[in-house]
Amino acid sequence: MNALFKNLDFNTNTAYEKIIDNLLQDGYSISENFFSSTEVETLRQSLLNKHKENAFKKAAIGNKFDEIIVKSIRGDIILWMDETKADVFEFPFFNKINHLVNYLNKTCFLGILHKEFHYALYPKGTFYKRHIDTFQNDGRRKLSFVCYLNEDGWLEENGGELVLYLDKNGQEVEKIIYPFPGRVVIFESQKIEHEVKPVKTERLSITGWLKTR
Ligand SMILES: O=C(O)CCC(=O)C(=O)O
Ligand SMILES: [Fe+2]
């Protein structure tokens, strides 16, 4: 085997292959149990601990250096994560993300070089109006990633569904996705408009972006 192919030698991961197939076909993918219930529980605790320390800020429209708060557009509060300071709560999260990113880079030549993630908490009554993630003048965002950290037994009536606006042969189709714990949604940042419907119960998540150079 020559050096190039040796580098590409790795085990096929069926869950990741499904994500890739779905992304190529539909522009989005939904994975159930991407994170185990223990991992979700740990990350939820991490989020809630940091929230208790008042570390969360009102989310902004614009990138993280450009904080114009527009409540009529989004009402979540967020905290950017710092991988270099990841603690025992966050370590398994970044491990899994890096594993996925390596796989995507090896199999799809996506060239993901950067990533950014934040915790998000949507208090009761808040929402995030229809938008596209690259409106925040960050064209490097390739894939958007959301994982839900709500408690087991989250009900559809709690609201806060993510709606993806898809194009099916020139017709707009809505894909409704409930924020069930452990569920991960990945979609093409530059293509898919989406919104978070008003929540009736506090809604917890981590949102992030896989970015090219
Ligand atoms: O939490 C979600 O389901 C999506 C959040 C979102 O669209 C964003 O933060 O840009
Ligand atoms: Fe978004």
Side-chain angles (χ1 to χ4, degrees):
M1 198 184 289
N2 71 34
L4 176 65
F5 287 106
K6 203 164 189 178
N7 268 338
L8 291 174
D9 193 25
F10 69 105
N11 293 327
T12 304
N13 180 311
T14 39
Y16 293 170
E17 289 296 329
K18 182 173 167 274
I19 292 174
I20 293 164
D21 283 352
N22 292 340
L23 283 172
L24 288 174
Q25 187 141 14
D26 305 318
Y28 74 94
S29 102
I30 304 171
S31 311
E32 310 299 345
N33 308 311
F34 186 93
F35 292 105
S36 70
S37 46
T38 318
E39 287 168 331
V40 170
E41 178 71 40
T42 306
L43 288 167
R44 179 170 58 243
Q45 271 322 313
S46 173
L47 184 158
L48 293 173
N49 290 343
K50 286 169 163 58
H51 181 241
K52 233 187 245 158
E53 295 159 9
N54 287 320
F56 280 58
K57 293 217 166 68
K58 289 211 174 76
I61 306 299
N63 59 37
K64 54 182 153 176
F65 305 108
D66 174 23
E67 298 204 346
I68 306 161
I69 296 151
V70 186
K71 251 197 141 164
S72 60
I73 298 178
R74 68 186 290 191
D76 55 329
I77 50 176
I78 65 163
L79 175 67
W80 287 96
M81 296 171 86
D82 183 349
E83 185 176 2
T84 63
K85 296 195 184 124
D87 55 21
V88 285
F89 291 93
E90 297 170 332
F91 224 76
F93 173 82
F94 283 109
N95 261 344
K96 222 165 209 178
I97 295 294
N98 291 332
H99 195 244
L100 170 67
V101 167
N102 285 337
Y103 198 94
L104 293 175
N105 279 340
K106 273 188 178 159
T107 55
C108 306
F109 303 99
L110 266 180
I112 304 297
L113 288 173
H114 303 282
K115 50 197 180 345
E116 55 189 7
F117 292 93
H118 64 60
Y119 294 106
L121 185 154
Y122 285 75
K124 186 176 176 200
T126 58
F127 50 79
Y128 194 158
K129 285 265 164 77
R130 182 168 173 164
H131 66 281
I132 194 151
D133 284 346
T134 46
F135 80 106
Q136 310 183 303
N137 55 44
D138 191 344
R140 296 179 307 168
R141 288 179 171 180
K142 266 262 170 253
L143 293 175
S144 302
F145 174 104
V146 198
C147 85
Y148 300 109
L149 304 179
N150 297 307
E151 293 206 31
D152 282 339
W154 177 269
L155 302 170
E156 292 182 2
E157 300 90 274
N158 294 347
E161 58 271 38
L162 169 67
V163 181
L164 305 181
Y165 295 95
L166 306 170
D167 177 84
K168 285 257 157 76
N169 310 317
Q171 287 277 98
E172 186 170 283
V173 180
E174 293 183 8
K175 173 72 192 172
I176 293 169
I177 303 167
Y178 293 97
F180 294 132
R183 185 174 253 189
V184 160
V185 185
I186 301 174
F187 59 90
E188 288 188 53
S189 308
Q190 293 166 6
K191 289 199 187 142
I192 298 192
E193 290 190 23
H194 54 282
E195 78 173 294
V196 178
K197 293 287 188 183
V199 308
K200 301 192 180 98
T201 308
E202 191 172 86
R203 175 193 195 265
L204 312 176
S205 58
I206 292 175
T207 305
W209 293 273
L210 307 183
K211 299 163 62 156
T212 54
R213 192 157 59 89

